[in-house]
Amino acid sequence: MSTAAVVVEEPGSHRLVPHEPRQPEAGEALVRVHAVGICGSDREVYQGNRPEGYVRYPLIPGHEWSGTVEEVGAGVPQSLVGRKVVGEGFRNCQICDRCHAGETTLCTAGYEETGFTQPGAMATTLTLPARLLHVLRDDADLKAATLLEPAACIAAAAIKANARPGERVAVVGTGTLGMFAVQFLTAGSPAELLVVGTRNDRQALSRRFGAGDFRTTDRQLPDDVDVVIETAGSASAARTAASLLRRGGRLVLTGIPAPGAEGLDPTGLVVRQLEVHTVFGAPPEAWAHTVRVFGAGLLDPLPLVSHELPLAEFSQAIEWVGSGDPKVGKILLRP
């Protein structure tokens, strides 16, 4: 089998190069990559506008992936070989107080993540610490499982939101993250589930995933929602999300606006006694929750995939990701 990898040498420059699998050292596993997803942060890596310290060139990108374990290093159970897996991206130290508390995305040893500062999955194989792997069911669909990384980030938001059965909930944003938020909230049996977006083209999919109401931002919106998860990544979306809440409501922000964005009004947050959480990445608890929910058949990632391309068409995939074309959903690359 031919082996290859995408390498981004520097912003705006990439090559398809021969790939030599790195044999797993103690505590590591070598995974044959089934597919790897592309998202906006991969476009940031390629364009060079990811914040300083959050990317290291030259780099093999790819942080959303699924695959099968081929080899393991010393100290790793041989029973992992042949298993279908996904894997956490954050390379936490496991020693600091944050890691000991299970808050691995807040590791004080500094930021390291697969596909950003460490080699990613846009290659035939990926070698990484085995402790980061989450084993899937034997009958799992690896194509669908490729999207469990963004799903895990939203699982982290759902855990923080703590939506209880019978509450009124809403999602702001209709991209991949928004559609996963709808699915996680639906699984919690809400009384009402509203999706708010800027375009009508996601209405059918939102309703398919469990939304009872869909509105664009130019329509009248409620102000009595218990829980809102924001996924759109703009300051205006954050303000819209906050405006939906009742007094004492709970807001979880997952999107990252451009630096310098005008934020939420602290006066409104205080006098309305809103509970505000933020999410960046996914700790192990969120990954484990995602794999359980996926295994139970409560997550359906496949309708979000619009294109599958070979690794050699990386540049085409990057172009599509930033095109704004409503026909472009999640793009998968197949090594």
Side-chain angles (χ1 to χ4, degrees):
M1 177 179 288
S2 61
T3 60
V6 171
V7 175
V8 178
E9 301 281 4
E10 60 185 6
S13 172
H14 79 281
R15 293 187 299 141
L16 192 68
V17 302
H19 173 69
E20 189 66 35
R22 181 173 72 77
Q23 294 305 300
E25 299 178 1
E28 293 185 324
L30 185 154
V31 175
R32 181 160 295 277
V33 177
H34 177 81
V36 55
I38 287 193
C39 82
S41 54
D42 295 303
R43 184 174 169 84
E44 289 177 1
V45 167
Y46 186 67
Q47 293 183 325
N49 49 19
R50 192 161 170 81
E52 186 178 355
Y54 287 83
V55 64
R56 189 179 302 134
Y57 302 98
L59 174 70
I60 299 175
H63 60 287
E64 305 176 2
W65 58 270
S66 66
T68 304
V69 177
E70 286 208 337
E71 295 182 47
V72 295
V76 180
Q78 280 290 324
S79 59
L80 265 182
V81 175
R83 297 304 303 273
K84 296 176 179 179
V85 293
V86 290
E88 298 175 32
F90 280 75
R91 304 289 188 93
N92 43 78
C93 75
Q94 296 289 289
I95 296 171
C96 71
D97 58 342
R98 291 295 196 181
C99 284
H100 283 163
E103 300 169 337
T104 53
T105 60
L106 296 173
C107 176
T108 60
Y111 171 80
E112 295 285 346
E113 186 175 2
T114 300
F116 296 105
T117 63
Q118 297 289 332
M122 290 189 193
T124 313
T125 66
L126 172 65
T127 303
L128 74 167
R131 62 181 172 79
L132 299 177
L133 297 178
H134 289 260
V135 177
L136 305 172
R137 290 168 43 142
D138 290 339
D139 61 354
D141 183 334
L142 282 177
K143 176 180 171 181
T146 305
L147 274 67
L148 292 187
E149 191 276 340
C153 296
I154 291 302
I159 290 169
K160 287 190 175 183
N162 190 27
R164 303 174 186 93
E167 287 192 311
R168 297 182 304 278
V169 301
V171 174
V172 175
T174 58
T176 299
L177 297 181
M179 294 300 95
F180 275 128
V182 172
Q183 294 184 63
F184 275 110
L185 290 173
T186 296
S189 301
E192 301 170 17
L193 201 172
L194 165 68
V195 174
V196 177
T198 57
R199 305 184 320 214
N200 261 315
D201 59 349
R202 287 294 224 187
Q203 179 166 181
L205 196 56
S206 298
R207 292 185 183 277
R208 172 176 172 177
F209 287 145
D213 193 3
F214 182 99
R215 303 188 196 183
T216 49
T217 50
D218 57 354
R219 294 178 56 192
Q220 184 172 354
L221 299 174
D223 60 1
D224 60 352
V225 176
D226 296 298
V227 173
V228 180
I229 296 178
E230 176 276 326
T231 67
S234 69
S236 62
R239 289 191 290 271
T240 295
S243 74
L244 296 172
L245 287 164
R246 63 166 174 79
R247 287 167 54 90
R250 305 189 296 285
L251 172 63
V252 185
L253 303 173
T254 72
I256 305 176
E262 292 291 328
L264 300 175
D265 176 11
T267 302
L269 298 181
V270 173
V271 299
R272 295 173 62 211
Q273 300 181 59
L274 299 184
E275 185 179 319
V276 181
H277 297 272
T278 60
V279 166
F280 178 62
E285 176 189 19
W287 274 95
H289 181 54
T290 301
V291 170
R292 280 195 305 269
V293 173
F294 178 63
L298 298 173
L299 284 183
D300 184 12
L302 287 178
L304 301 174
V305 178
S306 64
H307 296 79
E308 292 182 76
L309 302 172
L311 274 185
E313 295 190 37
F314 170 78
S315 57
Q316 175 67 78
I318 287 291
E319 183 180 328
W320 280 344
V321 165
S323 68
D325 185 341
K327 296 186 181 67
V328 175
K330 177 58 69 173
I331 300 171
L332 303 185
L333 296 180
R334 299 291 292 267

